[in-house]
Amino acid sequence: MYLSKYEEAMLRGDYGDLITRAMQVIVRVGDVLKADRLIEVETTHIAGVSYLTIGDPGLEYLEDLAKSNARFHVFTTVNPVGIDISSDWGIDKEFINKQWRIIDALRRMGASLWLTCTPYEYLRIRPRTYHAWAESNAVAYINAVYDAWTEKLPGPFVVLSALVGRVPRYGLYTLSGRAPTHIVRLEGDKAINDPLIAGLLGRRIAELVGDGKPYLVAKFGSNAVIKQLLASYATYSPHAFMVIDGVTPNHREYLNMADKPEVVDISVGDAYRGTEARAKDFDAVFLGCPHYGIEEVMSVINYVKSRGFGRARKPIYIATTPFVINALGQDIINRLKEFNIHLVLTTCPVVSPFLKSVGVGTVATESVKQMYYLPKMVGINYISCNGIECLDLAFNS
Ligand code: F3S
């Protein structure tokens, strides 16, 4: 593999043992993947940092790195962790302390502690720039919506990439590796406006194309539904890459690159097939997978307004970001609590015990990604609901 003089110096030990060891892993992985060289990344996004998923070994590994003066070389953001940093939600104190030690180790290494899976909503990411990201929904989003280039990378590998600012050039880091193999056409010309339907379509497309790369011809009514489409697609796809007609920058170039693509027609009815209810009743509504941005939270507030500011009978938990909390201010957050709507910060139910801690065993959710992970990761059951219908369930049941 070709290495620049600077990369050779990092590998040789000119920048210390830690950098040498990180470079050895990156070069070795690059060799296995038949990468021709390394590329410099502009940003990295680390996932897999909840104490629930990495436990003591992960905590000790990150603390050892921080103690050895490891410092991130590029702008680095971090996925949701196992706790809400503004409220304990009844989570065990030892868990909280250990999660804070992980957060602190990442802080000392120079990470920006946004602790969100939607960093793409707060960064200006230019087309055809390189990134090393580990969170699948975010990988799918920046590839499809910005035409920014990243593979779906494992969390520990991204930590090493952040230390040296490099990844091997392979797969989605090459134009040829991004050529569509399938053209997927959604029947009808109505824009998709329902988050649940978008998520079910994402899952169906992944099932149909396997490890192929779809060029999707469909219309979507908002960014919120595109988030659901891509989060679900990325859950079921090995690489999390699709091009969306009319959305992805340079989409025509991608279409022209497709060499004898297989054409697949799908319908909303296909997407629903095989989706049976898992539970009859539910304890709470969960929204915010991926983390809700300000527009999505405002649509909930508008819904409450349209109902004359009543109180929901079942609690509604919404996972969101520090940016949304700051934009809303404490008065609005307190008012939402009076309506039984609770904003949850910096965490996600599949990497946190918080839903169990507040006595929730079954949620109603619009997120197909949550439906996949909740039973497996934290033993929580679900029923599916669709956008506003989720709110109706909470207010009317
Ligand atoms: Fe984010 Fe958790 Fe969903 S990390 S994408 S809220 S599963």
Side-chain angles (χ1 to χ4, degrees), residues 63-86:
E63 281 193 331
D64 285 348
L65 276 179
K67 271 187 213 139
S68 320
N69 286 325
R71 294 295 175 265
F72 297 137
H73 187 88
V74 290
F75 182 74
T76 296
T77 50
V78 179
N79 228 31
V81 291
I83 59 170
D84 175 337
I85 60 168
S86 65

PDB file of all heavy atoms in Angstrom, residues 63-86:
ATOM      1  N   GLU A  63     -10.111   4.521  28.966  1.00  0.00           N
ATOM      2  CA  GLU A  63      -9.366   5.241  30.023  1.00  0.00           C
ATOM      3  C   GLU A  63      -7.856   5.076  29.826  1.00  0.00           C
ATOM      4  O   GLU A  63      -7.092   6.029  30.012  1.00  0.00           O
ATOM      5  CB  GLU A  63      -9.777   4.735  31.407  1.00  0.00           C
ATOM      6  CG  GLU A  63     -11.099   5.338  31.859  1.00  0.00           C
ATOM      7  CD  GLU A  63     -11.382   5.105  33.340  1.00  0.00           C
ATOM      8  OE1 GLU A  63     -10.913   4.087  33.890  1.00  0.00           O
ATOM      9  OE2 GLU A  63     -12.105   5.944  33.932  1.00  0.00           O
ATOM     10  N   ASP A  64      -7.416   3.882  29.441  1.00  0.00           N
ATOM     11  CA  ASP A  64      -5.981   3.670  29.204  1.00  0.00           C
ATOM     12  C   ASP A  64      -5.489   4.570  28.072  1.00  0.00           C
ATOM     13  O   ASP A  64      -4.419   5.175  28.153  1.00  0.00           O
ATOM     14  CB  ASP A  64      -5.690   2.200  28.836  1.00  0.00           C
ATOM     15  CG  ASP A  64      -5.767   1.305  30.068  1.00  0.00           C
ATOM     16  OD1 ASP A  64      -5.813   1.853  31.186  1.00  0.00           O
ATOM     17  OD2 ASP A  64      -5.800   0.072  29.903  1.00  0.00           O
ATOM     18  N   LEU A  65      -6.307   4.657  27.008  1.00  0.00           N
ATOM     19  CA  LEU A  65      -5.915   5.532  25.888  1.00  0.00           C
ATOM     20  C   LEU A  65      -5.773   6.980  26.364  1.00  0.00           C
ATOM     21  O   LEU A  65      -4.787   7.659  26.078  1.00  0.00           O
ATOM     22  CB  LEU A  65      -6.980   5.487  24.783  1.00  0.00           C
ATOM     23  CG  LEU A  65      -6.928   4.360  23.759  1.00  0.00           C
ATOM     24  CD1 LEU A  65      -8.083   4.517  22.778  1.00  0.00           C
ATOM     25  CD2 LEU A  65      -5.614   4.338  23.002  1.00  0.00           C
ATOM     26  N   ALA A  66      -6.774   7.444  27.111  1.00  0.00           N
ATOM     27  CA  ALA A  66      -6.758   8.843  27.578  1.00  0.00           C
ATOM     28  C   ALA A  66      -5.564   9.092  28.497  1.00  0.00           C
ATOM     29  O   ALA A  66      -4.889  10.125  28.390  1.00  0.00           O
ATOM     30  CB  ALA A  66      -8.075   9.182  28.277  1.00  0.00           C
ATOM     31  N   LYS A  67      -5.282   8.113  29.402  1.00  0.00           N
ATOM     32  CA  LYS A  67      -4.147   8.264  30.327  1.00  0.00           C
ATOM     33  C   LYS A  67      -2.822   8.288  29.584  1.00  0.00           C
ATOM     34  O   LYS A  67      -1.858   8.908  30.020  1.00  0.00           O
ATOM     35  CB  LYS A  67      -4.138   7.087  31.319  1.00  0.00           C
ATOM     36  CG  LYS A  67      -4.954   7.357  32.560  1.00  0.00           C
ATOM     37  CD  LYS A  67      -4.765   6.240  33.588  1.00  0.00           C
ATOM     38  CE  LYS A  67      -6.065   6.047  34.354  1.00  0.00           C
ATOM     39  NZ  LYS A  67      -6.425   4.666  34.613  1.00  0.00           N
ATOM     40  N   SER A  68      -2.777   7.573  28.436  1.00  0.00           N
ATOM     41  CA  SER A  68      -1.519   7.553  27.647  1.00  0.00           C
ATOM     42  C   SER A  68      -1.405   8.794  26.762  1.00  0.00           C
ATOM     43  O   SER A  68      -0.623   8.811  25.816  1.00  0.00           O
ATOM     44  CB  SER A  68      -1.469   6.332  26.751  1.00  0.00           C
ATOM     45  OG  SER A  68      -1.957   5.223  27.380  1.00  0.00           O
ATOM     46  N   ASN A  69      -2.243   9.783  27.015  1.00  0.00           N
ATOM     47  CA  ASN A  69      -2.205  11.046  26.255  1.00  0.00           C
ATOM     48  C   ASN A  69      -2.633  10.900  24.802  1.00  0.00           C
ATOM     49  O   ASN A  69      -2.170  11.663  23.947  1.00  0.00           O
ATOM     50  CB  ASN A  69      -0.827  11.708  26.317  1.00  0.00           C
ATOM     51  CG  ASN A  69      -0.612  12.316  27.674  1.00  0.00           C
ATOM     52  OD1 ASN A  69      -1.564  12.816  28.280  1.00  0.00           O
ATOM     53  ND2 ASN A  69       0.617  12.245  28.163  1.00  0.00           N
ATOM     54  N   ALA A  70      -3.465   9.907  24.506  1.00  0.00           N
ATOM     55  CA  ALA A  70      -4.010   9.802  23.144  1.00  0.00           C
ATOM     56  C   ALA A  70      -4.883  11.032  22.881  1.00  0.00           C
ATOM     57  O   ALA A  70      -5.661  11.432  23.744  1.00  0.00           O
ATOM     58  CB  ALA A  70      -4.846   8.535  23.021  1.00  0.00           C
ATOM     59  N   ARG A  71      -4.734  11.624  21.711  1.00  0.00           N
ATOM     60  CA  ARG A  71      -5.533  12.800  21.356  1.00  0.00           C
ATOM     61  C   ARG A  71      -6.044  12.644  19.923  1.00  0.00           C
ATOM     62  O   ARG A  71      -5.301  12.240  19.040  1.00  0.00           O
ATOM     63  CB  ARG A  71      -4.683  14.084  21.442  1.00  0.00           C
ATOM     64  CG  ARG A  71      -4.222  14.423  22.856  1.00  0.00           C
ATOM     65  CD  ARG A  71      -5.396  14.763  23.802  1.00  0.00           C
ATOM     66  NE  ARG A  71      -4.972  14.977  25.173  1.00  0.00           N
ATOM     67  CZ  ARG A  71      -4.964  14.051  26.143  1.00  0.00           C
ATOM     68  NH1 ARG A  71      -5.352  12.804  25.892  1.00  0.00           N
ATOM     69  NH2 ARG A  71      -4.559  14.338  27.360  1.00  0.00           N
ATOM     70  N   PHE A  72      -7.335  12.994  19.731  1.00  0.00           N
ATOM     71  CA  PHE A  72      -7.899  12.856  18.388  1.00  0.00           C
ATOM     72  C   PHE A  72      -7.305  13.907  17.458  1.00  0.00           C
ATOM     73  O   PHE A  72      -7.161  15.076  17.831  1.00  0.00           O
ATOM     74  CB  PHE A  72      -9.427  12.942  18.437  1.00  0.00           C
ATOM     75  CG  PHE A  72     -10.056  11.819  19.229  1.00  0.00           C
ATOM     76  CD1 PHE A  72     -11.094  12.057  20.117  1.00  0.00           C
ATOM     77  CD2 PHE A  72      -9.603  10.518  19.083  1.00  0.00           C
ATOM     78  CE1 PHE A  72     -11.667  11.023  20.845  1.00  0.00           C
ATOM     79  CE2 PHE A  72     -10.164   9.467  19.805  1.00  0.00           C
ATOM     80  CZ  PHE A  72     -11.197   9.732  20.697  1.00  0.00           C
ATOM     81  N   HIS A  73      -7.024  13.453  16.258  1.00  0.00           N
ATOM     82  CA  HIS A  73      -6.325  14.272  15.276  1.00  0.00           C
ATOM     83  C   HIS A  73      -7.297  15.098  14.419  1.00  0.00           C
ATOM     84  O   HIS A  73      -6.919  16.054  13.768  1.00  0.00           O
ATOM     85  CB  HIS A  73      -5.545  13.290  14.383  1.00  0.00           C
ATOM     86  CG  HIS A  73      -4.636  13.898  13.410  1.00  0.00           C
ATOM     87  ND1 HIS A  73      -3.326  14.219  13.717  1.00  0.00           N
ATOM     88  CD2 HIS A  73      -4.807  14.257  12.114  1.00  0.00           C
ATOM     89  CE1 HIS A  73      -2.754  14.742  12.654  1.00  0.00           C
ATOM     90  NE2 HIS A  73      -3.625  14.786  11.674  1.00  0.00           N
ATOM     91  N   VAL A  74      -8.568  14.661  14.404  1.00  0.00           N
ATOM     92  CA  VAL A  74      -9.580  15.342  13.582  1.00  0.00           C
ATOM     93  C   VAL A  74     -10.824  15.609  14.434  1.00  0.00           C
ATOM     94  O   VAL A  74     -10.967  15.043  15.526  1.00  0.00           O
ATOM     95  CB  VAL A  74     -10.003  14.490  12.360  1.00  0.00           C
ATOM     96  CG1 VAL A  74      -8.900  14.406  11.345  1.00  0.00           C
ATOM     97  CG2 VAL A  74     -10.451  13.099  12.771  1.00  0.00           C
ATOM     98  N   PHE A  75     -11.722  16.428  13.912  1.00  0.00           N
ATOM     99  CA  PHE A  75     -12.963  16.747  14.626  1.00  0.00           C
ATOM    100  C   PHE A  75     -13.767  15.457  14.828  1.00  0.00           C
ATOM    101  O   PHE A  75     -14.103  14.765  13.865  1.00  0.00           O
ATOM    102  CB  PHE A  75     -13.782  17.759  13.829  1.00  0.00           C
ATOM    103  CG  PHE A  75     -15.033  18.158  14.541  1.00  0.00           C
ATOM    104  CD1 PHE A  75     -14.979  19.010  15.628  1.00  0.00           C
ATOM    105  CD2 PHE A  75     -16.266  17.659  14.143  1.00  0.00           C
ATOM    106  CE1 PHE A  75     -16.135  19.363  16.316  1.00  0.00           C
ATOM    107  CE2 PHE A  75     -17.419  18.010  14.806  1.00  0.00           C
ATOM    108  CZ  PHE A  75     -17.351  18.867  15.900  1.00  0.00           C
ATOM    109  N   THR A  76     -14.044  15.151  16.091  1.00  0.00           N
ATOM    110  CA  THR A  76     -14.636  13.851  16.424  1.00  0.00           C
ATOM    111  C   THR A  76     -15.897  14.034  17.260  1.00  0.00           C
ATOM    112  O   THR A  76     -15.873  14.729  18.284  1.00  0.00           O
ATOM    113  CB  THR A  76     -13.601  13.009  17.218  1.00  0.00           C
ATOM    114  OG1 THR A  76     -12.491  12.765  16.368  1.00  0.00           O
ATOM    115  CG2 THR A  76     -14.180  11.679  17.672  1.00  0.00           C
ATOM    116  N   THR A  77     -16.975  13.415  16.808  1.00  0.00           N
ATOM    117  CA  THR A  77     -18.224  13.445  17.573  1.00  0.00           C
ATOM    118  C   THR A  77     -18.505  12.036  18.106  1.00  0.00           C
ATOM    119  O   THR A  77     -17.871  11.065  17.688  1.00  0.00           O
ATOM    120  CB  THR A  77     -19.392  13.947  16.702  1.00  0.00           C
ATOM    121  OG1 THR A  77     -19.399  13.205  15.476  1.00  0.00           O
ATOM    122  CG2 THR A  77     -19.264  15.420  16.408  1.00  0.00           C
ATOM    123  N   VAL A  78     -19.477  11.952  19.015  1.00  0.00           N
ATOM    124  CA  VAL A  78     -19.717  10.697  19.734  1.00  0.00           C
ATOM    125  C   VAL A  78     -21.217  10.390  19.738  1.00  0.00           C
ATOM    126  O   VAL A  78     -22.051  11.288  19.898  1.00  0.00           O
ATOM    127  CB  VAL A  78     -19.196  10.820  21.185  1.00  0.00           C
ATOM    128  CG1 VAL A  78     -19.452   9.531  21.958  1.00  0.00           C
ATOM    129  CG2 VAL A  78     -17.711  11.157  21.214  1.00  0.00           C
ATOM    130  N   ASN A  79     -21.534   9.122  19.596  1.00  0.00           N
ATOM    131  CA  ASN A  79     -22.916   8.635  19.576  1.00  0.00           C
ATOM    132  C   ASN A  79     -23.579   8.739  20.969  1.00  0.00           C
ATOM    133  O   ASN A  79     -22.881   8.971  21.962  1.00  0.00           O
ATOM    134  CB  ASN A  79     -22.883   7.163  19.141  1.00  0.00           C
ATOM    135  CG  ASN A  79     -23.880   6.859  18.061  1.00  0.00           C
ATOM    136  OD1 ASN A  79     -24.193   7.713  17.242  1.00  0.00           O
ATOM    137  ND2 ASN A  79     -24.370   5.629  18.037  1.00  0.00           N
ATOM    138  N   PRO A  80     -24.885   8.509  21.045  1.00  0.00           N
ATOM    139  CA  PRO A  80     -25.541   8.486  22.356  1.00  0.00           C
ATOM    140  C   PRO A  80     -24.880   7.472  23.296  1.00  0.00           C
ATOM    141  O   PRO A  80     -24.377   6.441  22.861  1.00  0.00           O
ATOM    142  CB  PRO A  80     -26.967   8.035  22.024  1.00  0.00           C
ATOM    143  CG  PRO A  80     -27.169   8.428  20.611  1.00  0.00           C
ATOM    144  CD  PRO A  80     -25.840   8.302  19.935  1.00  0.00           C
ATOM    145  N   VAL A  81     -24.930   7.808  24.588  1.00  0.00           N
ATOM    146  CA  VAL A  81     -24.368   6.932  25.616  1.00  0.00           C
ATOM    147  C   VAL A  81     -25.512   6.291  26.411  1.00  0.00           C
ATOM    148  O   VAL A  81     -26.689   6.466  26.057  1.00  0.00           O
ATOM    149  CB  VAL A  81     -23.420   7.739  26.542  1.00  0.00           C
ATOM    150  CG1 VAL A  81     -22.164   8.161  25.796  1.00  0.00           C
ATOM    151  CG2 VAL A  81     -24.139   8.952  27.135  1.00  0.00           C
ATOM    152  N   GLY A  82     -25.167   5.604  27.502  1.00  0.00           N
ATOM    153  CA  GLY A  82     -26.185   4.858  28.256  1.00  0.00           C
ATOM    154  C   GLY A  82     -27.002   5.697  29.224  1.00  0.00           C
ATOM    155  O   GLY A  82     -27.916   5.182  29.871  1.00  0.00           O
ATOM    156  N   ILE A  83     -26.668   6.991  29.341  1.00  0.00           N
ATOM    157  CA  ILE A  83     -27.394   7.840  30.308  1.00  0.00           C
ATOM    158  C   ILE A  83     -27.799   9.170  29.672  1.00  0.00           C
ATOM    159  O   ILE A  83     -27.201   9.612  28.689  1.00  0.00           O
ATOM    160  CB  ILE A  83     -26.522   8.144  31.560  1.00  0.00           C
ATOM    161  CG1 ILE A  83     -25.208   8.851  31.165  1.00  0.00           C
ATOM    162  CG2 ILE A  83     -26.253   6.883  32.360  1.00  0.00           C
ATOM    163  CD1 ILE A  83     -24.410   9.394  32.327  1.00  0.00           C
ATOM    164  N   ASP A  84     -28.807   9.757  30.275  1.00  0.00           N
ATOM    165  CA  ASP A  84     -29.171  11.142  29.969  1.00  0.00           C
ATOM    166  C   ASP A  84     -28.307  11.993  30.908  1.00  0.00           C
ATOM    167  O   ASP A  84     -28.393  11.837  32.135  1.00  0.00           O
ATOM    168  CB  ASP A  84     -30.671  11.309  30.268  1.00  0.00           C
ATOM    169  CG  ASP A  84     -31.163  12.741  30.114  1.00  0.00           C
ATOM    170  OD1 ASP A  84     -30.334  13.673  30.208  1.00  0.00           O
ATOM    171  OD2 ASP A  84     -32.384  12.919  29.953  1.00  0.00           O
ATOM    172  N   ILE A  85     -27.469  12.859  30.358  1.00  0.00           N
ATOM    173  CA  ILE A  85     -26.530  13.572  31.233  1.00  0.00           C
ATOM    174  C   ILE A  85     -27.229  14.636  32.095  1.00  0.00           C
ATOM    175  O   ILE A  85     -26.608  15.206  32.976  1.00  0.00           O
ATOM    176  CB  ILE A  85     -25.350  14.205  30.453  1.00  0.00           C
ATOM    177  CG1 ILE A  85     -25.845  15.215  29.427  1.00  0.00           C
ATOM    178  CG2 ILE A  85     -24.485  13.144  29.792  1.00  0.00           C
ATOM    179  CD1 ILE A  85     -24.725  16.075  28.854  1.00  0.00           C
ATOM    180  N   SER A  86     -28.533  14.881  31.822  1.00  0.00           N
ATOM    181  CA  SER A  86     -29.212  15.905  32.621  1.00  0.00           C
ATOM    182  C   SER A  86     -30.193  15.315  33.646  1.00  0.00           C
ATOM    183  O   SER A  86     -30.772  16.041  34.443  1.00  0.00           O
ATOM    184  CB  SER A  86     -29.966  16.862  31.698  1.00  0.00           C
ATOM    185  OG  SER A  86     -31.003  16.157  31.049  1.00  0.00           O
TER     186      SER A  86
END
